[in-house]
Amino acid sequence: VSALLLPDAPIVVWWPHGLPRSAASTPLGRIAHRRITDAANEPNPKQALLDLSSSYVDGDTDLSWTRLTHWRIQLAAVLEQNGADGIRSVIVEGASDSASTFLLAAWLKPALKVPVEIIEDPAGTGIRRVRIERDGGALELRRPEGSTAYLTQPGQPEQRIALPLRTLHECLAEELRRLDPDEVFGEVLTQGLAACLAPEGNAA
């Protein structure tokens, strides 16, 4: 393979399934600028994320994180509008086999520095809800089914927001537009995830 590569071309390796023990240590991973895995396609997505955390190297990424882009954009906008003061706790609800649910909780916990509870729903339902408890009233973004989400904020009417499931093509296209290491993902995977998935239980 090395003999066929252009010397200055960026190299991206994608494992659709079958996570290696350490992506950066594989023959292809050692020469790649970005290494893309997909914990959602593993038999135990939660354990797959923990395995990725233990072997993480700059340049690693996972499509479970990429699928969160629109959720993160919406939540960041809501928090910017309402402010982060007075936040007491967060609930993240999603399927027990949704790797993205666990990563979303792992992103929110260190960002907001409050307790985060993960509620695991039946497999196959994806992310369902994020509820942020505040002194001034709760903020909630929920997607019960389909591609429409509902945002509730104190003193405002409920808003409908398009929040469709992202396709594989969209996720790969996003990853290929950015070939530098994703530092936020690295921190979420190696620090936030361990705090949210402590052995004592889902709440942290």
Side-chain angles (χ1 to χ4, degrees):
V1 173
S2 298
L4 301 175
L5 296 174
L6 296 175
D8 297 326
I11 301 169
V12 179
V13 182
W14 169 39
W15 287 267
H17 49 75
L19 292 183
R21 183 175 298 274
S22 173
S25 299
T26 63
L28 287 176
R30 283 194 292 268
I31 62 175
H33 296 84
R34 291 297 295 270
R35 295 164 294 276
I36 303 172
T37 53
D38 196 348
N41 286 336
E42 298 304 298
N44 186 338
K46 184 191 298 186
Q47 185 58 50
L49 289 176
L50 293 172
D51 292 343
L52 287 173
S53 175
S54 65
S55 64
Y56 175 80
V57 174
D58 284 348
D60 291 354
T61 191
D62 193 88
L63 294 183
S64 301
W65 174 249
T66 320
R67 295 185 185 101
L68 285 177
T69 297
H70 292 163
W71 278 89
R72 292 170 58 214
I73 289 173
Q74 293 294 341
L75 290 170
V78 170
L79 289 171
E80 183 177 358
Q81 178 182 349
N82 291 274
D85 295 334
I87 295 178
R88 301 193 302 265
S89 63
V90 176
I91 294 174
V92 178
E93 181 179 354
S96 59
D97 62 346
S98 169
S100 295
T101 296
F102 302 116
L103 287 179
L104 183 57
W107 173 64
L108 288 168
K109 182 173 176 60
L112 300 179
K113 296 179 174 58
V114 296
V116 175
E117 178 186 1
I118 300 174
I119 298 177
E120 297 186 32
D121 288 339
T125 54
I127 301 175
R128 300 287 299 279
R129 176 172 66 113
V130 176
R131 183 177 178 86
I132 301 173
E133 298 289 350
R134 302 171 67 247
D135 292 338
L139 308 171
E140 184 171 277
L141 180 63
R142 60 186 177 88
R143 185 180 62 186
E145 59 183 1
S147 61
T148 301
Y150 301 87
L151 174 64
T152 56
Q153 305 177 78
Q156 298 187 32
E158 184 177 73
Q159 301 177 46
R160 297 179 63 181
I161 299 172
L163 199 61
L165 295 171
R166 305 194 72 192
T167 66
L168 177 60
H169 174 79
E170 290 172 334
C171 292
L172 287 174
E174 179 179 327
E175 288 298 335
L176 293 175
R177 284 195 298 267
R178 176 180 176 177
L179 297 178
D180 56 309
D182 189 335
E183 296 178 357
V184 176
F185 171 69
E187 293 174 359
V188 167
L189 188 67
T190 59
Q191 300 175 31
L193 189 68
C196 287
L197 300 183
E200 290 77 13
N202 287 335

